[in-house]
Amino acid sequence: MSILGLTLFKNVSYLQFHADWISSINSSFSIRLDGLGQILCLLTAVAYPLVFISTWKTQYKKSHNFFALMLLMQAGLMGVFLAMDALLFYFFWELALIPAYFLCSQWGGERRIAVTFKFFIYTFTGSILMLVAIIYTYLQTPTHSFDISAFYNSSLNNSSASWVFWLMFIAFAIKLPVWPLHTWQPDTYEQSPTAVTMILSGVMAKMGVLGMIRWLMPVLHLSFYQWGDTVSTLAITGMIYASLIAIQQDDLKRLVAYSSMAHMGLMCATLFAETQSGMQGVMIQMFNHGINIIGLWIVIELIEREFGTRKISELSGLAHRSPAMAMLFVVVALANIGLPLTNGFIGEFLMFNGIFASAVTKYYIVFTVLAGITIILAAVYTLNMIRKVFYGETNSLTTAGYPLRLNEKMALAIIVVLVFVIGLYPRIFLNMTQETSEFILKKAGVGGLFGQ
Amino acid sequence: MNALLLTAVFGVIMMLSSFLLTSKTAIRGLAVSGMVIVLAANVLEMMGIVFFKIDTKDMIAFDRFSLLFNSIVFISTLVYFLLSARDMEKVGINYGEYFALIFFVLCGVTLSSSFHSLLILFLGIEIISIPLYILTGSDKRNLKSNEASLKYFLLGAFSTGLMLMGIALIYGATGTFSTNGITTSPTSALVIAGMLLLMFSMAFKVSAAPFHFWTPDVYDGAPTVFTSFMATIVKVAAFIAFMRLFNDEFGSLQSRWQLLIALITAITLFIGNITAVFQQSVKRMLAYSSISQAGFMMMAIFAMNADAREGLLLYSAAYCLATIGIFAVLMKLKDYSFDGFNAFAKQQPLLAATTTIFLLSLAGIPLTAGFLSKFWMIKAVAGTGKYLWLVIFAVLMAVVSVYYYFRVIQAMYFKEGDGQTIEASLPFKWTLVLLAGIIVLLGVFPNWIIYWLYF
């Protein structure tokens, strides 16, 4: 709770901190809180208490290690969201990864070691390629500095900028994940302990989006424009692919994992449309997706714990015995597919608007339509899952029923309140993100390119 | 100069101590205090206090770079003594002689890090090598140890021959042993042939592929306590000599040898990492890991700029400290296979945690010294603006290295098993914790080392 208080305090005051670190190579410990950092730190600050409240009763072996690693990961995440120095950014990026590795390998499901190792190798490959890109860009900066403002002025020529772009993009795409670099994700989400899965999907995946917004779009704006269509195609292919697989899933965790992949793909595609409303939509949607998916994991966790299974085919009629759970879950699930009045709607509407209004791509209609299809697919698998799991006749397994515990009720209630507050009154977030997204788009040179 | 004479003197003292002192504790205490004195003398020389004024006719140059490197070596050796000196008792009865030989090796290290003449380079390398042949075979009743020693001796002698031939050719071309750089007729066949011979013999000494074949067998066959010393301190010393030689003497020919070094680097990285993946014994894995780490250090030879010099020093410190730490833990175990580490964390949580930090450092994970040293290497090569493929290849190989380093971590923390019972004294544990602390601190504040290079 004190962490929440601390970060909320950070959010209201415009904080900036700068200290020398490795002066011989012009790297400094420089952090600053802009609109993007605000919204993501807020997400981290909200997500962690939610995770801890909802898993209050879960007993871990060696719980002191578990919580220490969780909080270490939080430090890494916050650092990533705030770092304004490329080397520092890389440090925090890895600092968030290492605890995740130990958390998943130690407390995960039965296939945890192999699965987590795959996850680790994947992300480590990405991040070390990003390191090469960072060093290369650093050497091209006029002042030889890792500071972000120096990165804005780097003088990369066109072909090397493309190389650097892809090296960095792979790192971010693995974190999102963007198809075809996603294969670690469903397994890892399935095998990790639920508290960690919540953080991985709710907060950590946002590291990739942040990387694209802060380190890719303004720094390598020409390549960002040049490869925009390619990346959008990848992202949208991934969205449709993930949605189709989600429809086939029988395992609740994997279903949510694939749905998460589809939603993250939309964010990626929207970023490459480079529009003001799309950008703000992405930032808001990052927050929304973060809390919504945590809500979904909470319910799945308690279904698994009570009934010993996550198979949709084995569950039925939960709503009869525990209506509160059903109601809260349905709200969160509908928010996840972006129904009006919920927070998901605000984000998705802005993002679709952004793609459609895009000036940087010729294929904006195709992209919008294809991305729109995934919304329908999302409705298919979400409603289908709700129907099968919560409605219908109770079977022998679910007839015992299960009343929500107080802490789970609290966590879900907070999420539902947030869902409606943001859904009805998004202005706070719009104001928060406006300045940053304008600034980044200006750096990205969209206005200059097209005379807007 | 301080350290050079003092290491030789202490070598003789340790030799005498083996029949003057009866208690092993006394011998060990003498060795540790000798190491502290050598280190202090070297640090004093860095501050400008020289005990012995000897005119070496410009054959030796104690500059900042070599002095700083010597300090790193002495600190590493001190740590090595503190952690592993007790394990030398198990090797054989000649306890004092082992220390004497190690001090002689250090004397050679001092020479080969500060030579300004090809003759001194040769002397330094030989003074390093000959005690090592003995140390490798010091487990006299063990056939594997004997085989390793013989193999090392034969191949080492061969590479020494190559080196002498190279020196002779260079002398023939330039008329001097001083390493002032090739100024006359850089394209003459004598110079090129001499340079290649020297390159190959140095590549042999640092176990760069394709001259690495002796490494796994020798490291595996030698008593573990001496493998630790060979794989770390001796190896980085050979690297410093390599760097000095190619910087001072062949710096002007960089465009001629750069491609060859780049190929050697790439092959070394590839063979070291890929072969390490398939090892079943942690000791042999560490032997191959030392080859792959050598590949990374070769990047400094390739780049040969200011970053490379800083980076090689940082790399020496990071690599030596971490590897000495892992070997110190490994020596306590009876079973060297990966399975031998199963459930080690339950048995010895503190040792497992420190070993994890050492492994993370070797794998190059941030917040450890290993990361920043790899970072410096990448930066040095990227700074040359050429051969960007080498950088990308190197980082991909670093990912491969994560595979085998993390296998140990997985075994320690996540695998079930009985866990070997080992005895570890309290000072041993605290030294390891201190070592891990140094590695993390260096990983956050590399300036501590680099500052000394320039102040």
Side-chain angles (χ1 to χ4, degrees):
Chain A
M1 269 310 174
S2 64
I3 300 153
L4 177 67
L6 198 69
T7 9
L8 286 177
F9 169 71
K10 263 189 187 169
N11 281 319
V12 287
S13 64
Y14 191 81
L15 263 188
Q16 195 168 353
F17 180 76
H18 185 96
D20 276 348
W21 181 32
I22 311 176
S23 49
S24 61
I25 54 168
N26 282 327
S27 180
S28 57
F29 189 93
S30 157
I31 54 176
R32 197 176 72 229
L33 194 70
D34 58 1
L36 181 60
Q38 272 177 19
I39 205 157
L40 285 170
C41 285
L42 188 66
L43 171 62
T44 319
V46 172
Y48 261 82
L50 278 179
V51 169
F52 287 149
I53 291 172
S54 64
T55 56
W56 194 265
K57 290 275 169 60
T58 315
Q59 294 292 327
Y60 299 103
K61 279 185 295 176
K62 295 197 210 146
S63 58
H64 53 289
N65 287 351
F66 181 84
F67 288 111
L69 286 168
M70 285 292 270
L71 291 176
L72 190 62
M73 187 154 83
Q74 184 184 26
L77 289 165
M78 291 269 191
V80 168
F81 298 149
L82 296 173
M84 287 294 162
D85 180 282
L87 193 59
L88 192 66
F89 172 72
Y90 180 81
F91 254 71
F92 281 125
W93 181 276
E94 291 288 310
L95 186 62
L97 172 64
I98 302 291
Y101 170 75
F102 281 98
L103 283 167
C104 301
S105 306
Q106 183 93 57
W107 288 278
E110 55 192 292
R111 290 192 298 126
R112 61 185 189 275
I113 296 178
V115 163
T116 314
F117 201 38
K118 183 174 167 189
F119 160 65
F120 187 82
I121 293 277
Y122 245 107
T123 39
F124 188 67
T125 313
S127 54
I128 202 155
L129 290 177
M130 174 172 83
L131 179 68
V132 175
I134 288 176
I135 294 174
Y136 194 78
T137 318
Y138 155 78
L139 291 168
Q140 310 296 323
T141 52
T143 48
H144 279 260
S145 158
F146 281 100
D147 198 70
I148 190 161
S149 55
F151 267 48
Y152 289 150
N153 299 323
S154 67
S155 53
L156 290 161
N157 64 30
N158 204 13
S159 67
S160 57
S162 281
W163 273 103
V164 171
F165 170 81
W166 279 108
L167 290 177
M168 279 203 176
F169 178 76
I170 287 175
F172 301 143
I174 288 172
K175 270 274 149 68
L176 269 180
V178 173
W179 183 85
L181 300 168
H182 64 281
T183 55
W184 62 270
Q185 188 232 29
D187 287 340
T188 310
Y189 284 7
E190 185 191 342
Q191 292 294 323
S192 304
T194 310
V196 181
T197 309
M198 290 178 192
I199 297 299
L200 284 183
S201 57
V203 187
M204 207 181 211
K206 278 39 174 204
M207 281 162 63
V209 185
L210 172 122
M212 288 189 194
I213 296 180
R214 185 176 287 156
W215 294 98
L216 216 48
M217 195 189 280
V219 174
L220 300 161
H221 49 89
L222 281 177
S223 313
F224 201 83
Y225 165 66
Q226 186 185 352
W227 295 104
D229 285 348
T230 317
V231 172
S232 297
T233 313
L234 286 181
I236 287 174
T237 316
M239 286 166 69
I240 295 173
Y241 168 86
S243 304
L244 288 176
I245 292 187
I247 291 177
Q248 306 289 327
Q249 286 304 317
D250 192 33
D251 184 315
L252 281 171
K253 267 193 161 181
R254 291 183 83 87
L255 185 142
V256 175
Y258 278 109
S259 97
S260 165
M261 186 183 148
H263 285 103
M264 299 307 287
L266 179 61
M267 290 183 205
C268 177
T270 314
L271 279 184
F272 281 80
E274 303 191 51
T275 49
Q276 173 75 22
S277 87
M279 184 82 108
Q280 282 185 280
V282 170
M283 292 187 194
I284 294 171
Q285 187 66 1
M286 279 200 273
F287 185 84
N288 296 338
H289 177 260
I291 57 168
N292 291 351
I293 202 162
I294 288 176
L296 297 179
W297 291 127
I298 292 175
V299 174
I300 291 170
E301 155 82 359
L302 63 91
I303 287 178
E304 184 183 4
R305 199 178 52 222
E306 279 315 305
F307 305 112
T309 177
R310 299 190 304 255
K311 296 257 180 285
I312 295 175
S313 52
E314 293 174 17
L315 294 162
S316 174
L318 292 190
H320 295 293
R321 297 292 172 194
S322 40
M325 174 167 81
M327 191 187 76
L328 294 169
F329 182 76
V330 169
V331 171
V332 177
L334 291 180
N336 198 38
I337 56 176
L339 213 71
L341 285 187
T342 62
N343 58 357
F345 175 71
I346 305 293
E348 297 212 335
F349 174 76
L350 285 171
M351 291 204 288
F352 277 107
N353 187 25
I355 298 180
F356 198 68
S358 171
V360 296
T361 170
K362 289 195 292 272
Y363 309 110
Y364 59 93
I365 297 181
V366 184
F367 288 154
T368 318
V369 170
L370 287 176
I373 289 175
T374 63
I375 298 292
I376 302 171
L377 294 175
V380 172
Y381 60 71
T382 311
L383 294 176
N384 197 22
M385 183 254 289
I386 291 174
R387 182 178 62 82
K388 282 188 183 154
V389 174
F390 288 95
Y391 299 100
E393 294 300 311
T394 49
N395 60 18
S396 57
L397 189 68
T398 58
T399 187
Y402 169 65
L404 277 180
R405 285 186 192 141
L406 181 63
N407 59 324
E408 290 154 355
K409 237 183 228 169
M410 264 172 62
L412 281 171
I414 295 172
I415 292 174
V416 169
V417 168
L418 281 170
V419 163
F420 284 120
V421 167
I422 302 170
L424 293 169
Y425 193 69
R427 177 169 286 272
I428 318 165
F429 283 128
L430 285 173
N431 289 346
M432 198 188 272
T433 54
Q434 184 161 12
E435 200 184 328
T436 313
S437 46
E438 274 169 8
F439 171 75
I440 282 169
L441 284 172
K442 201 173 109 222
K443 280 284 173 205
V446 180
L449 277 173
F450 300 97
Q452 282 177 349
Chain B
M1 191 53 77
N2 293 354
L4 178 63
L5 292 180
L6 280 177
T7 44
V9 168
F10 269 104
V12 177
I13 293 179
M14 290 315 296
M15 210 148 62
L16 296 176
S17 78
S18 63
F19 59 85
L20 291 180
L21 295 174
T22 45
S23 131
K24 290 191 168 172
T25 319
I27 295 179
R28 191 162 53 236
L30 185 63
V32 170
S33 47
M35 209 55 240
V36 173
I37 292 171
V38 170
L39 176 63
N42 196 59
V43 171
L44 284 179
E45 187 166 349
M46 284 169 78
M47 295 169 163
I49 303 167
V50 187
F51 298 156
F52 314 97
K53 293 249 187 313
I54 299 171
D55 182 14
T56 59
K57 306 285 180 203
D58 198 28
M59 284 166 82
I60 309 180
F62 285 99
D63 50 21
R64 197 141 281 292
F65 182 69
S66 67
L67 287 175
L68 181 54
F69 173 75
N70 290 346
S71 294
I72 292 173
V73 162
F74 296 144
I75 291 173
S76 305
T77 316
L78 184 61
V79 171
Y80 166 73
F81 278 176
L82 290 176
L83 287 175
S84 309
R86 220 172 264 275
D87 293 282
M88 287 184 209
E89 289 175 21
K90 294 176 199 150
V91 176
I93 49 167
N94 310 314
Y95 197 46
E97 274 86 345
Y98 300 146
F99 287 112
L101 289 170
I102 286 174
F103 272 107
F104 285 134
V105 170
L106 289 180
C107 180
V109 169
T110 318
L111 275 180
S112 57
S113 71
S114 45
F115 67 91
H116 197 251
S117 156
L118 293 173
L119 282 179
I120 300 292
L121 166 72
F122 176 73
L123 269 182
I125 294 287
E126 276 307 279
I127 296 178
I128 293 177
S129 299
I130 290 167
L132 282 185
Y133 303 144
I134 306 171
L135 287 178
T136 309
S138 56
D139 192 358
K140 278 188 281 191
R141 286 189 189 77
N142 186 340
L143 270 181
K144 265 183 97 181
S145 173
N146 293 344
E147 182 202 331
S149 178
L150 187 64
K151 205 177 233 174
Y152 192 20
F153 175 67
L154 289 176
L155 288 171
F158 185 65
S159 91
T160 307
L162 287 185
M163 175 180 278
L164 269 183
M165 187 72 193
I167 291 176
L169 293 180
I170 295 290
Y171 181 77
T174 60
T176 174
F177 283 123
S178 291
T179 52
N180 294 320
I182 304 282
T183 45
T184 52
S185 61
T187 50
S188 81
L190 280 181
V191 171
I192 298 292
M195 183 183 80
L196 287 179
L197 287 172
L198 279 169
M199 184 196 285
F200 295 156
S201 65
M202 290 313 293
F204 175 91
K205 293 292 176 199
V206 300
S207 69
F211 310 98
H212 67 285
F213 289 101
W214 60 275
T215 317
D217 291 343
V218 172
Y219 285 6
D220 201 19
T224 313
V225 61
F226 298 129
T227 310
S228 168
F229 184 69
M230 275 197 285
T232 54
I233 290 153
V234 174
K235 173 166 276 198
V236 297
F239 260 110
I240 293 294
F242 201 166
M243 174 159 239
R244 266 190 101 90
L245 178 65
F246 273 70
N247 188 45
D248 296 353
E249 181 75 357
F250 302 119
S252 55
L253 302 180
Q254 196 182 15
S255 56
R256 295 183 180 278
W257 50 257
Q258 211 164 20
L259 179 65
L260 201 56
I261 294 279
L263 288 176
I264 291 181
T265 310
I267 298 171
T268 310
L269 283 168
F270 184 77
I271 290 182
N273 282 301
I274 299 295
T275 324
V277 166
F278 297 106
Q279 299 308 314
Q280 295 307 319
S281 140
V282 174
K283 190 178 175 188
R284 231 177 144 77
M285 181 277 278
L286 283 172
Y288 281 103
S289 123
S290 89
I291 298 177
S292 78
Q293 302 281 346
F296 263 98
M297 287 189 257
M298 286 295 289
M299 290 167 78
I301 313 281
F302 165 82
M304 202 60 86
N305 47 26
D307 278 339
R309 273 185 287 281
E310 294 169 9
L312 193 58
L313 288 178
L314 203 56
Y315 212 111
S316 315
Y319 168 71
C320 282
L321 294 178
T323 311
I324 287 174
I326 294 176
F327 269 111
V329 175
L330 186 69
M331 266 172 245
K332 304 276 175 196
L333 296 176
K334 283 176 202 73
D335 180 4
Y336 285 168
S337 68
F338 279 95
D339 291 337
F341 276 90
N342 281 358
F344 190 60
K346 282 204 194 84
Q347 189 70 235
Q348 294 284 352
L350 195 66
L351 293 193
T354 51
T355 312
T356 306
I357 291 179
F358 302 144
L359 287 165
L360 291 178
S361 178
L362 285 182
I365 306 287
L367 284 184
T368 59
F371 164 71
L372 275 178
S373 47
K374 281 205 170 67
F375 170 81
W376 243 269
M377 291 297 164
I378 295 173
K379 184 161 159 278
V381 175
T384 61
K386 291 175 287 185
Y387 301 100
L388 208 59
W389 60 266
L390 185 62
V391 178
I392 295 180
F393 184 74
V395 297
L396 290 179
M397 284 298 133
V399 174
V400 176
S401 79
V402 167
Y403 178 81
Y404 52 83
Y405 291 130
F406 271 59
R407 268 178 77 190
V408 182
I409 299 182
Q410 282 175 353
M412 287 194 299
Y413 279 94
F414 312 133
K415 295 255 172 78
E416 300 296 324
D418 308 331
Q420 303 184 48
T421 42
I422 63 170
E423 76 234 37
S425 63
L426 211 53
F428 177 78
K429 283 181 181 168
W430 282 111
T431 318
L432 275 181
V433 170
L434 187 71
L435 190 56
I438 293 175
I439 285 175
V440 172
L441 281 176
L442 276 183
V444 184
F445 303 108
N447 275 9
W448 289 357
I449 284 191
I450 291 163
Y451 163 80
W452 283 93
L453 194 55
Y454 293 115
F455 87 108

